[in-house]
Structure formats: C-alpha cells, structure tokens
Amino acid sequence: MDPFSAEGELLNLHNYFHQGQFQEVVDFDAVGLSKENALPARVFALRAQIALGQAKDVIADVQGEQEPELVAVGALAELAAGNESKAGKIAEKLAKESGDNSTVQVLAGTVLQAAGNNEEALKLLGNHQGNLEAVALMVQIHLQQNRTDLAVKEVQAARRWAQDSLLVNIAESWVGLRVGGEKYQQAFYVFEELAQAPATSSIQSVIAQAVAEIHLGRLEEAEAALQQAVAKDPIQADLLANSIVLNAIAGKDTKELKSSLSSIAPEHHFLADLHEKSSLFDKAATKYSSKVAA
Amino acid sequence: MASSSPNMLTKFESKSSRAKGIAFHPKRPWILVSLHSSTIQLWDYRMGTLIDRFEEHDGPVRGIDFHKTQPLFVSGGDDYKIKVWSYQTRRCLFTLNGHLDYVRTVFFHHELPWIISSSDDQTIRIWNWQNRSLICTMTGHNHYTMCAQFHPKDDLVVSASLDQSVRVWDISGLRKKHSAPTSMTFEDQMSRANQNQADMFGNTDAVVKFVLEGHDRGVNWVAFHPTLPLIVSAGDDRLVKLWRMSETKAWEVDTCRGHFQNASGCLFHPHQDLILSVGEDKTIRVWDLNKRTSVQSFKRENDRFWVIAAHPEINLFAAGHDNGVMVFKLERERPASAFYQNNLFFITKDKHVRSYDFQKNVESPTLLTLKKLGSPWVPPRSLSYNPAERAILVTSPADGGSYELIHLPREGSGSADGSDTKRGQGNSAVFVARNRFAVFNASNQQIDIKDLSNSTTKTIKPPPGTTDIYFGGTGNLLLITPSAVHLYDIQQKKSVAELAVGGVKYIVWSNDGMYAALLRKHNVTIVTKALEQVSTLHETIRIKSATWDDAGVLLYSTLNHIKYTLLNGDNGIVRTLDQTVYLVRVKARTVYCLDRNAKPKILNIDPTEYRFKMALVKRNYEEMLQIIKNSSLVGQSIISYLQKKGYPEIALQFVQDPQTRFELAIECGNLDVAVEMAKQLDRPKLWSRLTTEALAHGNHQIVEMTYQKLRQFDKLSFLYLATGDAAKLTRMAKIAEHRGDFTARFQNALYLGDVNDRIQMFKEIDLYPLAYMTAKSHGLTEECESILEATGLTEDQITLPAVGSPLTPPKPVVSTFKANWPTKATSQSFFEKALLGQVEGLSLEDEPVPTSHSFGFDDAGEEDGTKRNGALAEVDDDEDAAGWDMGDDIVPEVESDFVNVDSAEAGGAGSSEADLWARNSPLAADHVAGGSFETAMQLLNRQLGAVNFDPLKPRFMEIYEASKTYLPASPGLPPIINYVRRTVDETDPRKVLPIIPRDIESLATNDLQRGYEAMRGNKLEDCALIFKGILHALLVNAVSTASEVEEAKKLVTSACEYSIATAIELSRRKLGSNDEVAQSPEKLKRSLELSAYFTIPKLEVAHRQLALLSAMRLSYTNKNLNSALSFANRMLANGGAAKMLDNARKTKAQCERNPNDALEIEFDQFAEFDICAASHTPIYSGSPFEVCAFDGSKYHSKFKGTVCAVCKVCEIGKNGSGLKLVA
C-alpha cells in the first residue's frame, strides 16, 4: 500500500511537508510508525530540517549512511548549504545507480534542477512510478522552462490516478497561476483553503494565497494575506519579494522592503533580476543622447 | 415509535387514560383533553405542563371545545350532561341537561352563543349558553349520532351517525328566529316563548338539506372544509370519504383507502390541501386532497387513535389515543435560508428560491423554483449558499434525504427551474470551500466531499453516530453526534477537536468566522472556531434560531422572545415576539427574520442594553458614555449589574445613596469618596471598615483620622510611633495622663523613650520597685536615691536582678507622618474622567485648522498676508486646510475600466510570458514590464523622440518590479515565477498583457491631487517633482480605451503646464529675497516679468488666481500699476473667493487712478504668447518655436535638439509618431 495514500500512516507527514508546515514534520512523532515507514518518515524529517535552514545538521546526521535515500538527503543538504557542485556530483551518481528509488528521484531531481540540469532532472523524474512528489517537481520544472503545456498534461495525468490528493491540487494551482483566467480563482481557492484552516496554514500557503490574489487583481485582499504572513514570519524572503511586487503594483514605495530583502536574502532571484535589469537599463540608455547638449 | 415519515414532528405527548376528545385553545399554547376516565385535562403543550384538571363528569367525557374568545369551554359526557366551564374561575358554570344518552361531541358556534351537541339518543341539539336553554333539537338519524359540527361560516350543520349516513342540515331558520329583532311581533314572542319545545309540526328551524350515503358502516366523524364546499367523513368501514356539495345537491367525490381498522376521526388541513385521518389501526394518515392519495402515515405501536384536532391558526395537530394525546406538526416550518453579506437567500412555502436585500429591503422575484426537489409535501430542509459560484445547495428529507446543487441565474429575474441541477442522496449537504461541498449520508455513515461537478473527490468516515454536519470554517466540518460535536479536518481526515455537547440542532457562525453558536433545544453554547467552549446558557423555552450581530453579540429567538447573549454568557431579553420567527441577520437596530410562512420580516429592537454590556466587557468607555448620555439606561438594575460584574468604579458614578456609594468606594478602593461618605454617615462600623481599607492602602492619614473618630488611643499611639510622629506621640502621652490611663501612659512613655515620665508614673501608682529598677537601669542615680529615700530602704536591703541595657525607642528613619506613602492612585478610569468632562478627545470637533501660509510677496503689503490668507482659508472649503485655497478644484474625473487590449501578433510556447508581453504589445510600458528595456527605449525614441532615459529609470524599474510574483513551491527549489497581468480574465497567450502600476486612474486620483495640494500648500519644489513624476508615469503607461487616451493626454498637458508654472515661479524665487530684488532694478524687472509669466500657464482657475494675486501684489508694490490693474481685471473675470475678489477690486480702484507702470517689463497683457519652457521668455504668436513631442511644451527654436526642460526625457523638436498608450 502506498504509505502516502489517504489511509497510509504517512499521509499527515506528507501533507505537513507539502503544506510548508516544516516544524510539524520535524516534531512528528515517528515512534508509532510501522517499520517500512520509518525510513521515509526520517527522510521527511530531514528534508524539513533542510527547509528550516538546518542543512549543516542534516549533513552531519547522514554522514556515512549508505541507504540511497539518505545519501540523496545528504546531496540536498549540501545543495542547501551552498556546495552546489558536490551536491550535483552525488546526485548524478545516485541518478545512475538508484534511479528507480522514488526518494532519490525527488531529491536528486531537485538537486539537478537547482544546478540547472533540467534535462537530467526530468529524465530522472520521468522514471517515477506513481510518485506524486516527482510529478509536482516535474510540473515545477516545466513551469520554470515555460512549458505550461507539458505541465498541464502532467497534472491532468496525475489527477486521473491521484484524484484529490493535496499535492495534485497544489501542483494544479501552480499551473493555474501560470495559465490565468478562471484558473486564478481556482488556484486561489486551493491556497486559501490551505492558508485559512488553522490545521494546514503555513507561511508558504499564505504567501501563495496572496500571490493568487495579486494575480486576481485583488490588491487589498492580497495585502491582508501578506500581513497575515508577516505575523507568522516577518523576514521570509519570498514574503518580502511578493510584498515588494504588491507595493509596486499599488504604486507605493518599495525602497524599504528592498533593502530589508537584500539584507536577509541578497541572492534572491528578485534582487538579482532587478540588478541585472538595472545595468541593462544603464547600458541601453547610453545608446541615446540629445543632438545638442543642454 | 416507528414512523414511515421523516417529517411528522412530535411536539408534546401526555400519558393518561384513553383520550376521547381534544380541543386547541385558539390563542394560547393550551390543549384540552377529555378522557375516558371522566377527567378533563388542560395542558400547556409548549411547556409540557398540566395546568388544570376538571373532574365533575361521571364517566367518560367524549366531547370538548374551547370558546373562541371567552374564557369558556364546553364538555359532554356519558352522564348525558353538557357542562360549560370557566377556566379562569376553574369551575363548572352550569350544566345543560336534555340528552337522553351519551353525549358524543360538543362544539361552540363561531359567532352566536350556541353549542351543538350530538348524542347516542339519535338527536342533535343546539343550545344557547347565554340563557342556558335548548333552542333546537334535530331529529332524523336513526342510530347514534357520533358527531355534529357547525359550518365555519354558513348556517349549516353536518352530522354523522352509526346509521351509515352523513347529513347536512340547514339552520338558517334558526338563526332568523334568534337574530335580535328590532320590533317583536306577537308571533315572534310566541315562538320565542315556545322555542324550548320541540316543534312537532314541520319544524323549519333546522331542516335536512342533504343525506349523504356511501359508507357501508357507521360513520364516526365528519367535518367541513374551512373554505371550500367539501366534507370529509370517517367510518367503521375503514374509509375516509370526501364529499362535495353545491347549493342544491351533494355527492361523493372519492374515497381514501388505507386504514385497516375503523377510521375514528378525520379533518381538513386548515391551510394546505391535505386531509388527516386517524383510526383504530393505530395510524395517523395524511392524504392529498386533490389526488386522494396517501402522502404520509404515522403508526404507533400500541395505541389506537380515537380523535384528531387541528389548531385553527398554526400548523399543529393533536391526536388522542389509548394512552394519552400527542401534539405534532406535519412538517418543519423553519424556512431554509442562508445569507451572504447583504443578501438573504431563502425558500418560500411554494419552493421558490428568493433573495432579500438587507440594504434596500426588497425581496427579489423568484430566482428559481424547486418543484422537482423531493416530494410535493416535503419542504426543503436546508440551504447553503456559495457566493463564489452563486450556487445553492438545497437538501430535502424526502426519499431518505436528497440534495440538489443549482446555480442561481446570473440576472436576477429569470426564474429557471434549475436545468443544470446536480442531485444526489444525502441527509445534509454544505459547502466547505468555494469549490467543494460535503454530503453526509446518515444511513451508511459517510461523508463525501464533492466538487462542483458533483463528483466525489474524497470520502470520509465520520465518528460513529454522526447525525448532521455543518460548515466548520474553511476546510473543516462540524460533525454533530448525539453526545458531542466534532471539528473535523477534511484534509487530515481526522477530528481535530471535540466538545461534549449533546443534542445540537443548529450551528450559527459569527460574521467574522471566529465564533459559532451551537443551538440545542434549550441551550446555546458558544464556541471558538477551534471548538473551545466560551460560554453556555440555558433557556426554559425552546430556542428556535440565532444570528450574530456585527459586534459579536449573539441574538437568538425562542418561541416568544428575542434574546441576546454576550460571549461571556451574559444574556437578557431584547424583545418579545407574538409569533415564532427565525432570525437571519441583525444590523444596528434592525433584526431581519423569516416567519413561518417564509416571509422576510423586519423587527426593530433596542440594542442599548447589550451594546452597553458589550462596551463594558471591552472597556470601551467612550461608547458606554455615549450610551449613558443618549439613553435612559441608568437605573438600579444597571448599578447592581455593574457591581456584580466587577465594575464598582463605574457603578460609583451613578449612585447617589451614601451607603451604597460607600460600599462601592471601598470595593474599588476609592478612599476619597469613602471618607466623604463615612463623614456623612458617621457610623463606627463604617469607620472601622474604612480603617482596614486605608491601612491596606498605607494611607496613614486616613487611618489617623479614623482612629481619632473611633477614639482608639492605643492604636493611634502605635500609628504615631510607626510613622515617627514624635510630637503627636507626646500629645498622646499628655492625653493619656489626662485620662488617667496608666497603661496608655506607660505605653506612650515607652514609645517616646521618656524614662522620667515612666518613673514618675510608677511612683504615682506606688510601684516603687519598678520605678527604682527603671531608674537604676537608666543610670539615674539621683532618682534611685530619692526613691530609696521615699521608701525608706537602703540599697543593701534590696536584691536586684541583673540590670540590662536601657531600652531606647528606635529613631525614625523617614518622617513618614509628614506625608502619605505614595498611595495607589484611586482608580479614576477614563470613564470617570469622561464623565467629569475632563477628556477633550471625546469631542468630535477637529483640531483648529493651522493657518500658516506664506508666500513671498506678502511682506511689502500693508496688511498682514498670513492673516489674510488665513481669512481666505476660512471663507473657503474646509478641505483646503493649508496654503492657498481659493476656490473649488476642477479636477478631471478620470474613470478607468480595463478592457482587454487587442493585439495582433502570435506567440509561441516555450518562451516566458514576459517575452510574450513584448510581442503582444506595441506599448513601451508592456516592453518594460517584460524586461525588454532596449525595445522599450527604441519605441519611446521613435514615438516621442526620447533620448535621455535616466530620469525614466525609476519608472522602468517600478513597472518591472510589479511584473512578477514569486510563488513558493517545492522546498529546495527557487519559487515559481508568475507574471502579473492586467488582462486578468485572459488566458490566450497571444492576448495577455502585463499589469502597469500607477495607471491613469491612480495618477488622476492620487498623484494629481497631491500635486494640487502641494500647489495650494505653496510647496513648489514638491509640486514640480510630483508633476514630473506624473509625466514620467504617463510616458510609460498603458490604458485600455480611446477615451482614456484622451484623459491621459489631458493629464499630460495639465502636468506640463504646472511644471512650467512651478519652474517659472521657482526661478523667480531664486532671484533672491525681496529686499535683494528690490535693490537691483534688473532683478526687479525679471522678477516682475516672471511673476507675470507665472499667470500664463493654464492652471486650474483657483491656482491661476493665486498666480494672479501674486503678480498683482508684486506689481502694485513696485508701482507697476498698469500691470497690477490688468491682473486685477483678470482676477475679477475669473471670479472665486469673495475675499480675494474684494482685494482685487480695491487694487483695481487704486490702480485706475494712475494706470502707469513704473518699470517697463517684457509683458504685453494684450498679446497672445506662450512661455518658452527653457528660457522662461515669451514666444509671441507668429514667431517660430519648437515643441516637445511628448508633453507639448514650447521652446524658442534655438533650443531645438536639447532635452526638454519639462519632461527631461525627450529631445525638443524631434517629432515622433506620438504617445502610444493603447495597443
């Protein structure tokens, strides 16, 4: 039986993780689990630790472990700790050796994708046998490559066998936010449902709700959602990035937010992008000048 | 009890011997039951209590009836007697004798003082109960007459007999005879005199009109239809027969077959097309009047039914059986409803879905009919509304429970019958998210979560015994079991909280979704959204419904009251109800509800009491004060309420009675008030209580006073010692001496360390040894000797114990007595202060308007400019709080409504949406949003001749920043980037376009106004910046319609004019201070010119007036009277604020005397000219000039090729294709 299926004992763990409730995953009491689920539970806990920024601890934890799952966790931790090349090497090796292991697929796939190795990642993930996490990851990669059509297909395929599973809903919402139109509203429902129920709410889902609302053009509601997220964690990089976007759309000043974003996550995509565009502007602007200097 | 119908709702049951007769009171919740055991019972079926018993009959009592209006009832029994009773005096008033056998039924006439009775003596008799006489005996039946009733309107009687016939009698003759005649003929008198006697010769008082034959056995009961010419009868042939009659004949219509034992009673439903019958087969059956088919049946295990009765007004029935009576309804009367924001959706009696607008107080026409839902006689049970989809979910208990999901028609009126209906089986169905609903099936104990296409996405096994489900907040359900309520998380598929409350029937959520009220039959429990119990309350009367007001007060209705409860459980009555209603919404003083006929009703309430209590709980003193000031709430009850609830300090404010005031003051520690009251009352008990309280406060001054009052010298002395007040201690010693109280004196001496006094005292009381010892231990040798001398002893003769060191009283460290300790400030709450009028913040008036205006040209004037400007401000609208306000603003109202922008080109998959934007649009703004800055610049260069892009950088970055969102996705990977569109509804990648912040609407409503404000406020630097910002924002922007393009162009022109104007005025100010300028004729000339040019740009009239005023004053003070005159004239032509015009008029008058300019300036008031935006000199019409392709500012041709001074972006004279804002 699939341990993540509705009846499986890892369902909650799985859901916590994908709802962004990482602390709950770490705190999850794995004692009562059956033997075959102990390892997946541990992997989840370690991944949650990584997501909580404790990559160093995880590296130390899985040091010397032989199970491919844990090695893959190690690779992910190395990636999070900033050792991209090392992570990439481990991941490539794993992909070759145990490419049929679902955990390896997801984790090594993540590492490969993060290292910019899209094709390798997709190839590895394509091996999956009914693994929703792999599907979600593939959807994300497709979206990153702007292949919305492929992402849509992936989700529809998964929807057929995984029905109303959380991850499918979430992945569908990711795609929905890209497709737009009515899909915005549907994505919003999913995120709102997650974000507003106390049991499932996490900063991640609240931000997602806010993002959906930005896309729907409901700026006030988006602002309220972001405020809610601020209450959970005021210095989350994505939260700040989206706050900047929201303020920019509303025509408000974003300087302060930008400086706080650059202080906590100087390498955030938003800043990097902005920086690049800024220099692009300067370069492009030099091509023009007035005939007569004033 | 087995029931094949889910709808028959038993409201009351009694246990007794066989019930043979039943009567409802028309108004009160009472029912009379006559029993086989000779007793008549009077029950309150609402409370379930036996009110009275009447036991005068001998043997079974079969007939019983209430009088419609008078406090009377009539009974008839097997003792052949008819008794008329008063239930007020609780006794039998009189007995009507005459029948010769059992009396079967008795009924009052609906208007005449008549009683009709039927008896086993085969007669029907009509009695006048006012003069207690028999007025008519109707013979004809040739077996027992089992039932006889008056027609509810006409002069007809219907009777049933064991002779198998039903007879209809015409009694109009009887009425004629007994209607009060104005004049009485002899015959009348004769007939009246003889009326008691049965008329043997062709009695015309009552004649048989029809004999209805059809029953094969005896007929037990017969009844008229309340409005139609129909009769229903029930007989021992187990049939219920329906008869119709016309003026001339009557005939059998149909037969209802179903009873398998004698049918003992039957009647028509008072309001619906139904027949009800009961029988000895232990069933109650309901028949459709029109189809004569069985609608429902209800069976009791052991009890045969003997009689049935209907309440005349409300939907209640009663049936008597072998072991008592049951009162029941056929169906729930609660109209299914749901509200969302300002709309109530409800289902009417005839199954139409309607909505009701709370704001407009109008009911919509039928939105939808639900005829197909359930069976015709079963009303829908619940309604759940989904605002996102404008869909409703209706459940019906018919067919074991079913639901329908229907989309309401978009345009209010079209009363569709729900063609796109989705149906299914289930007992309850509620929306749980905007695209999901839950269906609960009681029989297999399963909850299905379904999407809007009605396919199951998830299945849940609820806790065992679940009876109902309710919405539980997003993603949650509240499951009701007989003993508890569970908060169930749909995602996690588990119960996250449980509260042991049994028998919950309804759940009502507060408007903010933070609290829910669980309604039980007699209890209300308030819980948080996490299902933690907040409070609970008990009601003796049934609770029917509840709704939350916006402030978080729960209003609930019982059968006869609307009550409120606060979150803390504090409750009370809001108003009484004369009929049961179902509350749906409260807004301020209005309660919206549905009555039992599903008609929206509005009730007015006085929310003062609960608002006051609410304010109290929230310590919102301002509101309390407001309430107290504006309503007559204050009374003894509110004081005791306040005290009880722990707000003595507030209660204190209301009390006059000194005793109560004292108590309250002590309670809240307000010593000042306590002292004041104690002084008034002056009772030792109060003083001692005050002492205790004051001691606890450390307020020794009050303690001292109370000790003095109480004359507690010892305590007083000790207090002085403790506070170190030696002077008073000395006085206490004196007093003690004076009083001759040696103990006190000794104590005081000890406290004071006064050895001599102690010795003296010992001597006085002949305690020489002690005196000696004291002296000795303090080393007072002389004193010792004198004592020895006095006692005639020598030192050798006495043996002394070891002498210790003398005791010295401690020195006070702090002179406490000088002042009280810093005692706790009496709790003078905000509220008290407010009451005492000390709080100014309460006043609603605004701060005085600051009047600081300065404008450089004032100082030379005779009047003080500040004052004058201030005065102008007063004259003008209040919004112009600062600066130059001189009249109303004429601001272009810009309306913007985004319509999809068309585009022509095609895009392809695989490229990011940002790239698509650039492809889809020829607008620079869209290219900027897509990050394609080069092409954007190209476009701007081509369109407007933009060359200097640096000033546009902030605008570029602003647009770019707004273009993408960052959606956190898989942990470990960067967020998914999505692109924000202004074409929200568009999914075609060839048509999507990016959002552009600060659209024309926001520019016109925000930036432009700020610019005007800066202008008014004389903050010209800001003003210049703002208008430059507007220009840049418009330079790179997108609008959706041609009319908006016009708006945008107007805005560009306006911003340009303001930019030029501010630049002129700023450059004038840069010339130097007024003194400096005055010294240099050159500068003065330039200054005068610039001030004149300042009046040229096309500003808003109000602002132009400012420029004119400024120019006029400057010219005037510098003796350029001609110019001043022209400015004054222009001002007068413009009109505006009276003060300013006055000023202009005066100046004009002055100038007209000598219209000459002292200084020649380059300003021809009569010539047409523009101002060069770069040099600020005139460009007279006809002379060559160059323009900026974007903002249209004009320049002398020598500036061609330079960057525009206004927008700072475009090259002057470089003509492009023009500003493009719409794709």
mmCIF file of all heavy atoms in Angstrom, chain B residues 888-910:
data_model
loop_
_atom_site.group_PDB
_atom_site.id
_atom_site.type_symbol
_atom_site.label_atom_id
_atom_site.label_comp_id
_atom_site.label_asym_id
_atom_site.label_seq_id
_atom_site.Cartn_x
_atom_site.Cartn_y
_atom_site.Cartn_z
ATOM 1 N N ASP B 888 -12.965 76.227 -5.659
ATOM 2 C CA ASP B 888 -13.130 74.797 -5.864
ATOM 3 C C ASP B 888 -12.184 74.304 -6.935
ATOM 4 O O ASP B 888 -11.810 75.016 -7.853
ATOM 5 C CB ASP B 888 -14.558 74.503 -6.295
ATOM 6 C CG ASP B 888 -15.525 74.984 -5.251
ATOM 7 O OD1 ASP B 888 -15.110 75.038 -4.076
ATOM 8 O OD2 ASP B 888 -16.650 75.319 -5.604
ATOM 9 N N ASP B 889 -11.832 73.086 -6.768
ATOM 10 C CA ASP B 889 -10.953 72.489 -7.751
ATOM 11 C C ASP B 889 -11.795 71.913 -8.867
ATOM 12 O O ASP B 889 -12.809 71.297 -8.624
ATOM 13 C CB ASP B 889 -10.157 71.360 -7.130
ATOM 14 C CG ASP B 889 -9.244 71.897 -6.070
ATOM 15 O OD1 ASP B 889 -8.833 73.057 -6.187
ATOM 16 O OD2 ASP B 889 -8.973 71.167 -5.127
ATOM 17 N N ILE B 890 -11.316 72.126 -10.021
ATOM 18 C CA ILE B 890 -11.974 71.435 -11.119
ATOM 19 C C ILE B 890 -11.011 70.369 -11.553
ATOM 20 O O ILE B 890 -9.994 70.620 -12.173
ATOM 21 C CB ILE B 890 -12.281 72.392 -12.275
ATOM 22 C CG1 ILE B 890 -13.116 73.547 -11.727
ATOM 23 C CG2 ILE B 890 -13.010 71.671 -13.371
ATOM 24 C CD1 ILE B 890 -12.712 74.847 -12.252
ATOM 25 N N VAL B 891 -11.307 69.180 -11.134
ATOM 26 C CA VAL B 891 -10.393 68.093 -11.386
ATOM 27 C C VAL B 891 -11.032 67.170 -12.386
ATOM 28 O O VAL B 891 -12.179 66.781 -12.220
ATOM 29 C CB VAL B 891 -10.114 67.328 -10.091
ATOM 30 C CG1 VAL B 891 -9.165 66.186 -10.382
ATOM 31 C CG2 VAL B 891 -9.542 68.259 -9.058
ATOM 32 N N PRO B 892 -10.323 66.830 -13.382
ATOM 33 C CA PRO B 892 -10.927 65.892 -14.338
ATOM 34 C C PRO B 892 -11.158 64.561 -13.652
ATOM 35 O O PRO B 892 -10.259 63.982 -13.068
ATOM 36 C CB PRO B 892 -9.883 65.785 -15.450
ATOM 37 C CG PRO B 892 -8.606 66.226 -14.826
ATOM 38 C CD PRO B 892 -8.960 67.203 -13.762
ATOM 39 N N GLU B 893 -12.389 64.133 -13.667
ATOM 40 C CA GLU B 893 -12.706 62.827 -13.093
ATOM 41 C C GLU B 893 -12.295 61.792 -14.110
ATOM 42 O O GLU B 893 -12.841 61.709 -15.200
ATOM 43 C CB GLU B 893 -14.202 62.727 -12.821
ATOM 44 C CG GLU B 893 -14.627 63.415 -11.545
ATOM 45 C CD GLU B 893 -14.054 62.730 -10.317
ATOM 46 O OE1 GLU B 893 -14.025 61.476 -10.295
ATOM 47 O OE2 GLU B 893 -13.636 63.433 -9.393
ATOM 48 N N VAL B 894 -11.355 61.016 -13.729
ATOM 49 C CA VAL B 894 -10.888 60.040 -14.678
ATOM 50 C C VAL B 894 -11.454 58.691 -14.320
ATOM 51 O O VAL B 894 -11.293 58.213 -13.221
ATOM 52 C CB VAL B 894 -9.365 59.973 -14.665
ATOM 53 C CG1 VAL B 894 -8.905 58.961 -15.694
ATOM 54 C CG2 VAL B 894 -8.807 61.332 -14.989
ATOM 55 N N GLU B 895 -12.128 58.147 -15.245
ATOM 56 C CA GLU B 895 -12.652 56.810 -14.983
ATOM 57 C C GLU B 895 -11.901 55.835 -15.837
ATOM 58 O O GLU B 895 -11.616 56.073 -16.996
ATOM 59 C CB GLU B 895 -14.133 56.756 -15.306
ATOM 60 C CG GLU B 895 -14.942 57.347 -14.182
ATOM 61 C CD GLU B 895 -16.398 57.328 -14.515
ATOM 62 O OE1 GLU B 895 -16.810 56.426 -15.265
ATOM 63 O OE2 GLU B 895 -17.095 58.209 -14.021
ATOM 64 N N SER B 896 -11.631 54.744 -15.229
ATOM 65 C CA SER B 896 -10.857 53.770 -15.982
ATOM 66 C C SER B 896 -11.502 52.427 -15.831
ATOM 67 O O SER B 896 -11.884 52.012 -14.767
ATOM 68 C CB SER B 896 -9.449 53.746 -15.436
ATOM 69 O OG SER B 896 -8.928 52.455 -15.519
ATOM 70 N N ASP B 897 -11.649 51.782 -16.894
ATOM 71 C CA ASP B 897 -12.243 50.463 -16.856
ATOM 72 C C ASP B 897 -11.469 49.627 -17.839
ATOM 73 O O ASP B 897 -11.499 49.853 -19.037
ATOM 74 C CB ASP B 897 -13.707 50.579 -17.269
ATOM 75 C CG ASP B 897 -14.442 49.309 -16.927
ATOM 76 O OD1 ASP B 897 -13.907 48.532 -16.118
ATOM 77 O OD2 ASP B 897 -15.511 49.103 -17.473
ATOM 78 N N PHE B 898 -10.731 48.701 -17.309
ATOM 79 C CA PHE B 898 -9.859 47.969 -18.197
ATOM 80 C C PHE B 898 -10.613 47.065 -19.136
ATOM 81 O O PHE B 898 -11.433 46.259 -18.728
ATOM 82 C CB PHE B 898 -8.886 47.124 -17.392
ATOM 83 C CG PHE B 898 -7.705 47.920 -16.970
ATOM 84 C CD1 PHE B 898 -7.350 48.025 -15.646
ATOM 85 C CD2 PHE B 898 -6.955 48.589 -17.926
ATOM 86 C CE1 PHE B 898 -6.273 48.776 -15.277
ATOM 87 C CE2 PHE B 898 -5.872 49.325 -17.542
ATOM 88 C CZ PHE B 898 -5.525 49.426 -16.221
ATOM 89 N N VAL B 899 -10.339 47.241 -20.348
ATOM 90 C CA VAL B 899 -10.872 46.335 -21.359
ATOM 91 C C VAL B 899 -9.654 45.671 -21.968
ATOM 92 O O VAL B 899 -8.573 46.244 -22.000
ATOM 93 C CB VAL B 899 -11.656 47.136 -22.408
ATOM 94 C CG1 VAL B 899 -12.135 46.239 -23.517
ATOM 95 C CG2 VAL B 899 -12.813 47.835 -21.744
ATOM 96 N N ASN B 900 -9.838 44.489 -22.390
ATOM 97 C CA ASN B 900 -8.699 43.788 -22.955
ATOM 98 C C ASN B 900 -8.121 44.568 -24.126
ATOM 99 O O ASN B 900 -8.842 45.071 -24.967
ATOM 100 C CB ASN B 900 -9.108 42.419 -23.452
ATOM 101 C CG ASN B 900 -9.535 41.562 -22.294
ATOM 102 O OD1 ASN B 900 -9.251 41.907 -21.155
ATOM 103 N ND2 ASN B 900 -10.214 40.498 -22.600
ATOM 104 N N VAL B 901 -6.853 44.604 -24.094
ATOM 105 C CA VAL B 901 -6.199 45.313 -25.171
ATOM 106 C C VAL B 901 -5.936 44.314 -26.292
ATOM 107 O O VAL B 901 -5.399 43.238 -26.069
ATOM 108 C CB VAL B 901 -4.892 45.904 -24.654
ATOM 109 C CG1 VAL B 901 -4.193 46.647 -25.755
ATOM 110 C CG2 VAL B 901 -5.180 46.807 -23.487
ATOM 111 N N ASP B 902 -6.335 44.681 -27.442
ATOM 112 C CA ASP B 902 -6.165 43.747 -28.536
ATOM 113 C C ASP B 902 -4.728 43.713 -28.998
ATOM 114 O O ASP B 902 -3.983 44.665 -28.860
ATOM 115 C CB ASP B 902 -7.041 44.178 -29.725
ATOM 116 C CG ASP B 902 -8.486 44.100 -29.345
ATOM 117 O OD1 ASP B 902 -8.814 43.181 -28.575
ATOM 118 O OD2 ASP B 902 -9.259 44.951 -29.794
ATOM 119 N N SER B 903 -4.376 42.633 -29.507
ATOM 120 C CA SER B 903 -3.052 42.573 -30.086
ATOM 121 C C SER B 903 -3.118 41.697 -31.313
ATOM 122 O O SER B 903 -4.051 40.942 -31.509
ATOM 123 C CB SER B 903 -2.050 42.011 -29.097
ATOM 124 O OG SER B 903 -2.305 40.647 -28.925
ATOM 125 N N ALA B 904 -2.148 41.823 -32.110
ATOM 126 C CA ALA B 904 -2.236 41.165 -33.395
ATOM 127 C C ALA B 904 -1.313 39.972 -33.506
ATOM 128 O O ALA B 904 -1.675 38.935 -34.038
ATOM 129 C CB ALA B 904 -1.907 42.162 -34.497
ATOM 130 N N GLU B 905 -0.145 40.098 -32.925
ATOM 131 C CA GLU B 905 0.852 39.083 -33.226
ATOM 132 C C GLU B 905 0.620 37.792 -32.472
ATOM 133 O O GLU B 905 -0.080 37.730 -31.490
ATOM 134 C CB GLU B 905 2.236 39.630 -32.888
ATOM 135 C CG GLU B 905 2.682 40.659 -33.906
ATOM 136 C CD GLU B 905 3.838 41.431 -33.356
ATOM 137 O OE1 GLU B 905 4.884 40.803 -33.114
ATOM 138 O OE2 GLU B 905 3.698 42.632 -33.151
ATOM 139 N N ALA B 906 1.267 36.783 -32.917
ATOM 140 C CA ALA B 906 1.131 35.482 -32.286
ATOM 141 C C ALA B 906 2.359 35.160 -31.456
ATOM 142 O O ALA B 906 3.461 35.610 -31.734
ATOM 143 C CB ALA B 906 0.947 34.409 -33.351
ATOM 144 N N GLY B 907 2.160 34.399 -30.422
ATOM 145 C CA GLY B 907 3.293 33.995 -29.590
ATOM 146 C C GLY B 907 3.439 32.495 -29.656
ATOM 147 O O GLY B 907 2.610 31.790 -30.208
ATOM 148 N N GLY B 908 4.465 31.966 -29.110
ATOM 149 C CA GLY B 908 4.674 30.526 -29.145
ATOM 150 C C GLY B 908 4.953 29.988 -27.762
ATOM 151 O O GLY B 908 5.284 30.729 -26.857
ATOM 152 N N ALA B 909 4.764 28.706 -27.614
ATOM 153 C CA ALA B 909 5.021 28.086 -26.332
ATOM 154 C C ALA B 909 6.511 28.042 -26.079
ATOM 155 O O ALA B 909 7.317 28.110 -27.009
ATOM 156 C CB ALA B 909 4.440 26.674 -26.313
ATOM 157 N N GLY B 910 6.875 27.892 -24.846
ATOM 158 C CA GLY B 910 8.272 27.748 -24.519
ATOM 159 C C GLY B 910 8.949 29.032 -24.160
ATOM 160 O O GLY B 910 9.931 29.025 -23.445
#
